[in-house]
Amino acid sequence: MSDHTSFSGFYKKTLQERHDILKELGAVEIFPKPLTDEVANQMVENYITPYTLPLGVGVNFIINNKEYVVPMVTEEPSVIAAASNGAKRLGNIQAKVLTREIIGQIALTQVNDPQTLAQKIVEDKEKYLMIAQTYCQSMVKRGGGPRDLWVETHIGELDHYVTVYLSMDTKDAMGANAINTVLEGLGDHLQETFHVDPLLCILSNAGDRNLVKAWVEVPFSQLHPNLERAERMALRIAKASEYASIDPLRAVTHNKGVMNGVDAVVVATGNDWRAVEASVHHYISRKGHYQSLTQWTIDQEQKILYGQIELPLPIATVGGTLSVHPTAQWALELLNNPNAKELMEIVASVGLAQNFAALRALVTHGIQKGHMALQARSLAMQVGATVEEVPQVVRALRKQPQMNREVARNILLKLRNNECKH
């Protein structure tokens, strides 16, 4: 795509003008094929009708020196605007997948000597990895397959459990079905060999081996043209980041803001946002307390603000819902058909930009100024304003000391009464 400055004032343009800009930049056709009843009926049980959410695009993103227009699905005002603004201010975001493997577990019960069994399985680790490979030959041929195996014992009130953990490279697929097939096959083998009961054979949504990192270096001068104000802003962002790392109640909202951006891209690309949420919140609690997803620090001498995010992202670019949902396929085309690792890097970068925009707003003019400007549109529509009336209601709402449905309704009634008089 061409220079990202083409998106200057993108939010102010009409819908048709936005479509035209994307077409000029070589983007895919603006309107993907709709989700048909025939396809949707095969996706879920007791299907009735499609449920739609707004799909917008995050702009100004440069990730690993490549420009992206990022599809984002969300119903919350200000999310896409904040992500786009954050991306513009951050500039080139660097990102790298640290590891991409999913984890599964076989919980064995009715074990006479848990420690001895665990030792025997570990000693024959390579043999069991070879057996596991026989249950996913197509994945092995694509360069994936089982990668590691380890064993732990757990003591409960009802039984002693020997748990065999398996990690697996599923390439560009999410891999839930693939690893579950492997686990069930290996579980049967262990049952036959050791006369134990494989209570459950299932993947884990823990993402300890499915990690991506994104980071950025921002000169103070990019934060504000006035250096003194820029330094103050950088310090306040760093303090806000530090505070989120020590107060769990703040960390929850801090991370929710990050996930506003992460989930929006995950949903747009047809991925499982519940798996992502479960994986992320497990990962940031791994040290025994809930903590922040991002870290922002400053180098006072170099006049640089550093930001980084590290999180698990169990997402894919082939298979599952995204292989049959037309809008998910369109979204991946808009991103130039990334592989799974590239998509992880894109999503992490959006989360970092989203967080920066939120912190910047919080430590300067506050979160409500920008949020309520967009919320005014929602209020206008909630009280029944037509497309033509919305801009007038929004302008009047923004002049009021308070914005709520009652105020919006009164403004709309007054507007219509004045029109009737004329």
Side-chain angles (χ1 to χ4, degrees):
M1 295 186 179
S2 61
D3 191 341
H4 65 280
T5 55
S6 301
F7 290 103
S8 178
F10 192 70
Y11 69 99
K12 297 179 181 178
K13 300 183 184 300
T14 66
L15 191 57
Q16 186 59 53
E17 287 173 334
R18 295 175 200 166
H19 291 177
D20 292 341
I21 289 172
L22 290 178
K23 287 180 180 178
E24 289 172 7
L25 293 174
V28 294
E29 287 299 314
I30 298 305
F31 298 107
K33 295 178 181 178
L35 177 64
T36 63
D37 287 340
E38 290 75 17
V39 173
N41 193 43
Q42 300 302 314
M43 292 172 64
V44 299
E45 303 77 21
N46 301 338
Y47 169 75
I48 299 298
T49 184
Y51 180 94
T52 59
L53 289 170
L55 188 154
V57 291
V59 297
N60 307 318
F61 277 94
I62 305 176
I63 303 166
N64 293 334
N65 304 310
K66 292 173 63 177
E67 296 181 17
Y68 290 95
V69 177
V70 183
M72 301 178 70
V73 169
T74 181
E75 85 297 343
E76 184 174 336
S78 81
V79 169
I80 297 176
S84 300
N85 183 268
K88 184 177 182 179
R89 293 179 182 279
L90 291 182
N92 189 23
I93 302 172
Q94 299 298 304
K96 180 182 180 181
V97 172
L98 305 178
T99 178
R100 181 174 164 78
E101 296 175 8
I102 63 173
I103 298 171
Q105 54 192 150
I106 305 169
L108 302 173
T109 64
Q110 299 180 10
V111 180
N112 293 327
D113 187 341
Q115 294 300 330
T116 300
L117 176 60
Q119 185 177 346
K120 285 181 179 179
I121 295 174
V122 170
E123 287 174 352
D124 287 331
K125 168 183 171 178
E126 295 304 322
K127 180 183 81 171
Y128 292 117
L129 283 173
M130 291 293 291
I131 293 172
Q133 287 183 14
T134 65
Y135 295 101
C136 59
Q137 285 299 301
S138 60
M139 186 69 71
V140 172
K141 288 178 182 178
R142 294 199 299 273
R147 290 290 183 262
D148 194 13
L149 182 147
W150 63 101
V151 183
E152 295 180 10
T153 59
H154 305 277
I155 300 176
E157 292 184 5
L158 301 178
D159 207 336
H160 288 192
Y161 304 88
V162 174
T163 305
V164 179
Y165 296 92
L166 182 80
S167 70
M168 185 168 168
D169 179 355
T170 55
K171 306 311 290 181
D172 290 326
M174 196 276 187
N177 289 331
I179 195 169
N180 286 341
T181 298
V182 171
L183 294 168
E184 290 180 1
L186 186 56
D188 289 343
H189 180 85
L190 293 171
Q191 181 181 34
E192 184 177 338
T193 303
F194 297 108
H195 307 291
V196 293
D197 176 27
L199 178 66
L200 52 84
C201 306
I202 187 71
L203 88 158
S204 169
N205 286 118
D208 305 60
R209 300 194 178 200
N210 204 353
L211 299 172
V212 59
K213 180 179 180 179
W215 66 97
V216 70
E217 298 181 4
V218 189
F220 288 177
S221 57
Q222 280 183 216
L223 299 175
H224 197 278
N226 181 297
L227 187 57
E228 184 177 340
R229 293 182 65 178
E231 287 192 27
R232 182 172 181 272
M233 186 186 301
L235 178 59
R236 288 175 65 81
I237 288 173
K239 285 183 178 181
S241 174
E242 179 182 68
Y243 183 69
S245 71
I246 58 179
D247 182 350
L249 295 185
R250 169 57 197 151
V252 171
T253 309
H254 178 100
N255 293 336
K256 189 272 181 183
V258 174
M259 299 309 291
N260 277 343
V262 168
D263 283 345
V265 188
V266 171
V267 173
T269 55
N271 277 283
D272 185 347
W273 76 92
R274 288 89 52 200
V276 169
E277 287 277 352
S279 184
V280 165
H281 293 295
H282 165 265
Y283 184 70
I284 54 182
S285 302
R286 68 193 184 282
K287 294 181 180 179
H289 63 278
Y290 192 84
Q291 56 189 339
S292 168
L293 269 169
T294 63
Q295 295 81 42
W296 294 90
T297 58
I298 58 173
D299 185 328
Q300 197 67 259
E301 191 173 310
Q302 298 294 323
K303 307 298 183 188
I304 290 175
L305 173 68
Y306 295 97
Q308 74 169 41
I309 184 172
E310 182 178 301
L311 73 167
L313 284 175
I315 56 178
T317 53
V318 298
T321 298
L322 56 91
S323 65
V324 297
H325 198 297
T327 306
Q329 294 171 341
W330 175 89
L332 290 169
E333 288 180 35
L334 186 65
L335 291 169
N336 297 318
N337 294 307
N339 60 37
K341 288 185 175 181
E342 290 169 333
L343 183 58
M344 289 172 70
E345 292 166 351
I346 292 167
V347 173
S349 299
V350 172
L352 186 62
Q354 195 84 47
N355 181 241
F356 169 79
L359 292 182
R360 180 179 181 275
L362 278 170
V363 303
T364 53
H365 50 67
I367 203 72
Q368 286 300 87
K369 181 179 179 181
H371 183 75
M372 293 308 290
L374 292 167
Q375 185 67 11
R377 288 207 308 261
S378 177
L379 286 171
M381 291 187 292
Q382 287 175 37
V383 298
T386 65
V387 173
E388 293 75 19
E389 292 170 332
V390 165
Q392 300 175 72
V393 175
V394 167
R395 282 195 295 271
L397 264 174
R398 295 189 64 181
K399 295 177 182 178
Q400 302 300 312
Q402 289 186 327
M403 282 197 290
N404 55 46
R405 292 183 65 169
E406 183 179 354
V407 173
R409 187 179 293 109
N410 290 336
I411 289 172
L412 181 60
L413 289 173
K414 184 177 180 180
L415 174 67
R416 289 176 175 175
N417 286 336
N418 288 338
E419 289 178 350
C420 289
K421 292 176 181 178
H422 291 89

